[in-house]
Amino acid sequence: MNLRMKLAMAFLLLIIVPMCALGIGMFLVTSHTIEKKYNQQAEYALQAISYNIENVFQQINSVTDNGIATSVFQMALNAKDPTKQDLGTGNQLSLNASQRNFRSLLYNYPFISYAFLYDLRSSENNQIVSIFTKENFEALPFQQFKVHPLFQEIQQLNGMPKWLAPHEYPELTGVDPVFTQIRLVKELSYFQNIGILVVQIKKGEIDRIFRHLQISDSAQSTSFLLTNEEGLVVYDPSGRYSGEKMENLGVNARSYGPGFSSIRTVFDGTESILSQYHLKNYGWNLVSVTSWEALSAETNVFAGWSVIIILICLLAAMVFNLFFMNSITGNIAVLVRFMRRVEDGDFNARVEGKGFDEMQLLAHGFNELLDRIGSLFRRVRAEQQQKAKAELRVLQAQIKPHFLFNTLESINGLAMRGEGRKVSEMVTRLGNILRISIQDQEEIPLGEEVRHLQSYLEIQQYRFSDLFTYEINIPIHLYSSSVLKLTLQPLIENSIQHGFEGIEYKGIIRISAFEDHNNLVLRVEDNGLGIPQEIMGRFEYMAEDPPDHMQGQEGEQQLSSMTERRGLGLRSVADRIRIRYGAGYGIFICSASGHGTVIQCIIPRYEQEDALDESDRNAC
């Protein structure tokens, strides 16, 4: 991952993501706070509403308790003509004191809609005694009421009032949205059940309770419902959901618990908060439904502004990354590109500095560093070239006297045996060799090296005529390739002096050359004694000269060993090739005792006219 991507990821992970997380966290916390605050207010409101509703019912309970205690209902049931006991239309003068007092009490509670009694003692069909009549209302006949499930429940309550909500028992209370009280009336002397009182109150009193109560600023979006345990909406001040089932509105009525509870759910297709307070004495649940959209309006505004701020920050970050960060990372990328060019060996690369900031100083320092490196590199290269030339001259000087010594020794032997013709031919061959050896050029064409080798082999064959034969198999087109002079001769000398020493058969030396991947491979193969493994293990490239402090017998033995490894022959050829062409070139020896030796000399192949350029390139 490049620097630009790292900076972009850092900005995203360290700024944008935390800002988004902060915004989401604040939104969730705010939503939770709003919901919690609303639940608290809803609980207080529902408790107040339930208190007022219970107060209305308690007042009616007190009125009917008073009527039972003053025997008003008993007198109505015991009257000669029960059908004329309507306290709402009767003559005030014809009523007794108890009836007049009860009538005054009823007038103090104008929200009572109607009242009547079922006479439990009469055997006649007409067992309904009217207390307050109501237009367009016909009470359920006693014979039908007697088989109704409520009849048994009223009997079991033994005088305690039973309240019925609208829509629960329309056959008994009618279709108007009113609340109805039903209770057993007893004769006070013997506590005998003499009748059942049915009292209905007007809905206006309950509506007034809901009109004068609201929850915070969301009252316009809050609906109040009264439901029974079966999930039936028995009362809705607006009348919209009266008689509906909560399941049909998307709410499970069984999800509520005792006391106060609140859930966030979907009500009638709208996400809402439903708060419920259980009226334990009446078996109803007072429910408030508030639209979550109305509650979270401020939160949504806050969330909208947060999104806008985050988008603005993101846009600013993109602009910042596009202009400022791209400028920085672009300059760094340019520096990296030039550094890679330097790694590839281009020391002439220079960075063009722009501006006056730290990047310009960095580019200027980079250029100065390259100038110094280039200067040091040129100095080191010059010193290495001088060192290589000096080492080549030293090795060349080591080969020349060694070869001359061996050749003169051979001529001396021929002269002592009186073989003048052979002496003359050997002197001629030696002259050819010396003409090549004394040339100032370090590299010569392969063809000239072959001619030099042929002169050397003929000299050796004059000396050891029956010891060996040789074969030279080098393609003509390779004769123009450049090689270090005196490369093949030490290899052949190694085969003659060490490979054929003491053999009982005739030795063969095969000299060949071929091209392999732009390299020139010179191959010398003999069928001599081979090189023992312990001597092969002593072969080492570029061995250092022994230090001056080596003295004594042990020091002289080490010095002799190093001199043998480094002085002449194979070692000299290997060191010269390494010095001239680099560590990738040299000689490779394959030999085993009694199986001959194969030596391959690998050098770069180029023509004679390219020798100087190639030499400079390898020196670098």
Side-chain angles (χ1 to χ4, degrees):
M1 184 182 296
N2 56 30
L3 181 60
R4 183 182 288 107
M5 289 299 297
K6 289 181 179 178
L7 292 174
M9 290 296 294
F11 188 87
L12 178 65
L13 296 177
L14 299 180
I15 298 180
I16 300 300
V17 171
M19 287 183 63
C20 294
L22 179 62
I24 295 174
M26 292 182 64
F27 177 79
L28 295 177
V29 170
T30 305
S31 300
H32 177 73
T33 302
I34 291 176
E35 185 174 351
K36 183 178 180 181
K37 181 179 179 181
Y38 170 80
N39 291 337
Q40 293 175 350
Q41 295 177 346
E43 183 178 7
Y44 297 149
L46 294 179
Q47 287 178 350
I49 293 175
S50 64
Y51 174 79
N52 290 329
I53 293 176
E54 290 175 351
N55 187 46
V56 172
F57 293 159
Q58 189 63 39
Q59 291 179 16
I60 301 302
N61 291 339
S62 298
V63 171
T64 57
D65 288 342
N66 182 274
I68 294 174
T70 58
S71 301
V72 172
F73 302 130
Q74 182 178 353
M75 287 186 291
L77 292 171
N78 293 330
K80 294 181 179 182
D81 189 2
T83 60
K84 297 183 179 179
Q85 298 300 308
D86 191 338
L87 298 179
T89 60
N91 188 353
Q92 180 75 9
L93 297 177
S94 64
L95 301 177
N96 60 34
S98 297
Q99 289 175 327
R100 285 195 298 269
N101 291 335
F102 184 70
R103 183 177 182 179
S104 299
L105 181 63
L106 292 178
Y107 279 121
N108 290 330
Y109 295 95
F111 49 88
I112 295 179
S113 176
Y114 76 93
F116 68 90
L117 290 164
Y118 285 109
D119 189 354
L120 298 179
R121 300 172 302 177
S122 176
S123 59
E124 300 179 0
N125 293 331
N126 189 8
Q127 293 180 301
I128 298 177
V129 179
S130 178
I131 304 298
F132 274 116
T133 61
K134 181 179 181 181
E135 296 180 359
N136 301 324
F137 177 77
E138 184 177 355
L140 183 68
F142 179 71
Q143 297 300 326
Q144 296 181 18
F145 176 65
K146 192 174 182 179
V147 297
H148 198 281
L150 278 176
F151 183 79
Q152 296 297 328
E153 185 177 352
I154 296 302
Q155 295 288 332
Q156 294 175 1
L157 288 175
N158 198 27
M160 296 296 295
K162 169 69 176 180
W163 282 94
L164 306 179
H167 306 290
E168 285 189 310
Y169 300 98
E171 70 279 4
L172 182 62
T173 62
V175 295
D176 292 338
V178 293
F179 291 87
T180 304
Q181 182 200 78
I182 303 179
R183 65 186 304 176
L184 190 66
V185 177
K186 291 180 176 290
E187 195 277 326
L188 296 181
S189 299
Y190 303 101
F191 291 99
Q192 181 183 1
N193 298 334
I194 60 175
I196 294 178
L197 175 66
V198 179
V199 178
Q200 191 177 78
I201 64 174
K202 299 176 183 179
K203 71 167 187 172
E205 185 64 20
I206 304 298
D207 290 341
R208 182 183 60 82
I209 295 175
F210 287 99
R211 280 198 305 268
H212 291 82
L213 195 68
Q214 60 182 10
I215 302 178
S216 185
D217 296 330
S218 61
Q220 67 277 8
S221 301
T222 302
S223 300
F224 293 96
L225 307 173
L226 196 64
T227 65
N228 61 12
E229 294 180 353
E230 286 74 29
L232 176 67
V233 179
V234 297
Y235 180 77
D236 178 7
S238 66
R240 180 179 179 184
Y241 299 110
S242 295
E244 292 282 348
K245 283 281 190 179
M246 294 294 283
E247 285 81 357
N248 298 335
L249 299 174
V251 180
N252 183 10
R254 303 296 180 183
S255 61
Y256 296 117
F260 176 81
S261 60
S262 181
I263 60 172
R264 184 172 170 181
T265 184
V266 176
F267 177 82
D268 195 17
T270 303
E271 186 177 8
S272 307
I273 293 183
L274 270 69
S275 300
Q276 172 262 347
Y277 185 79
H278 183 67
L279 284 70
K280 61 181 179 179
N281 294 327
Y282 302 94
W284 300 324
N285 294 315
L286 184 60
V287 180
S288 68
V289 182
T290 303
S291 171
W292 176 252
E293 182 179 359
L295 284 176
S296 61
E298 296 181 358
T299 306
N300 293 335
V301 172
F302 170 77
W305 277 107
S306 299
V307 171
I308 292 174
I309 292 173
I310 291 174
L311 291 177
I312 292 175
C313 293
L314 183 60
L315 180 62
M318 293 176 62
V319 173
F320 177 81
N321 186 66
L322 182 62
F323 291 99
F324 184 73
M325 296 307 299
N326 278 356
S327 176
I328 294 178
T329 57
N331 291 333
I332 294 177
V334 170
L335 286 175
V336 171
R337 186 166 60 252
F338 275 88
M339 290 176 65
R340 289 176 178 172
R341 289 177 56 184
V342 173
E343 289 178 356
D344 295 336
D346 184 8
F347 290 96
N348 295 321
R350 294 296 182 272
V351 181
E352 182 180 358
K354 297 180 180 180
F356 302 94
D357 55 4
E358 288 79 1
M359 298 304 301
Q360 194 274 338
L361 295 176
L362 183 60
H364 181 70
F366 178 79
N367 293 334
E368 286 188 350
L369 180 62
L370 284 181
D371 291 338
R372 295 182 181 180
I373 292 176
S375 176
L376 292 174
F377 184 78
R378 288 189 294 271
R379 183 186 304 173
V380 170
R381 183 173 60 183
E383 292 177 354
Q384 288 181 343
Q385 289 177 346
Q386 292 178 358
K387 180 181 178 181
K389 291 179 180 179
E391 290 181 351
L392 284 174
R393 285 194 294 268
V394 170
L395 292 174
Q396 191 74 24
Q398 289 176 341
I399 293 175
K400 290 177 182 178
H402 178 73
F403 170 71
L404 288 176
F405 175 77
N406 290 336
T407 303
L408 291 176
E409 184 179 0
S410 298
I411 295 173
N412 182 51
L414 293 173
M416 291 180 65
R417 290 195 299 269
E419 298 182 7
R421 185 177 61 84
K422 289 185 177 182
V423 170
S424 175
E425 291 177 355
M426 288 187 66
V427 170
T428 302
R429 299 297 182 186
L430 180 59
N432 294 333
I433 293 174
L434 291 177
R435 278 193 295 271
I436 296 175
S437 300
I438 63 177
Q439 291 180 3
D440 293 333
Q441 294 180 343
E442 296 179 0
E443 291 182 325
I444 60 175
L446 179 58
E448 190 171 348
E449 177 72 9
V450 171
R451 288 191 294 272
H452 168 272
L453 180 61
Q454 287 176 336
S455 298
Y456 172 78
L457 287 171
E458 290 177 0
I459 291 175
Q460 293 294 2
Q461 279 197 326
Y462 280 126
R463 182 180 178 187
F464 308 106
S465 57
D466 298 327
L467 183 61
F468 71 95
T469 61
Y470 67 90
E471 299 176 2
I472 298 178
N473 185 17
I474 298 177
I476 299 300
H477 70 276
L478 296 179
Y479 275 24
S480 59
S481 301
S482 295
V483 297
L484 288 173
K485 63 182 180 181
L486 298 179
T487 297
L488 292 175
Q489 181 264 327
L491 306 182
I492 302 302
E493 184 178 6
N494 179 78
S495 297
I496 297 174
Q497 291 190 354
H498 301 289
F500 299 153
E501 184 177 4
I503 63 174
E504 298 179 356
Y505 53 90
K506 194 167 188 178
I508 301 175
I509 299 176
R510 295 182 178 90
I511 302 100
S512 60
F514 57 91
E515 184 178 4
D516 181 27
H517 296 89
N518 296 324
N519 291 329
L520 179 62
V521 181
L522 304 176
R523 182 185 180 98
V524 176
E525 181 180 359
D526 65 62
N527 62 345
L529 299 176
I531 303 175
Q533 291 299 320
E534 59 272 13
I535 298 178
M536 287 283 291
R538 294 166 53 190
F539 187 83
E540 181 183 1
Y541 278 106
M542 304 296 291
E544 296 181 355
D545 292 331
D548 295 336
H549 64 271
M550 285 189 178
Q551 296 179 359
Q553 183 178 0
E554 181 178 358
E556 291 178 358
Q557 291 178 355
Q558 295 181 7
L559 180 60
S560 175
S561 175
M562 287 186 177
T563 302
E564 181 181 356
R565 289 199 310 267
R566 180 171 171 82
L568 302 174
L570 299 179
R571 181 51 197 263
S572 297
V573 175
D575 288 353
R576 289 169 63 208
I577 292 175
R578 285 292 181 95
I579 294 171
R580 181 63 177 179
Y581 303 115
Y585 303 94
I587 64 172
F588 299 88
I589 304 173
C590 179
S591 180
S593 181
H595 294 82
T597 301
V598 177
I599 301 175
Q600 287 194 163
C601 178
I602 301 177
I603 61 175
R605 183 181 182 275
Y606 50 84
E607 303 295 333
Q608 178 64 31
E609 56 270 16
D610 299 331
L612 182 58
D613 295 337
E614 185 71 19
S615 174
D616 294 338
R617 183 165 58 253
N618 284 300
C620 295

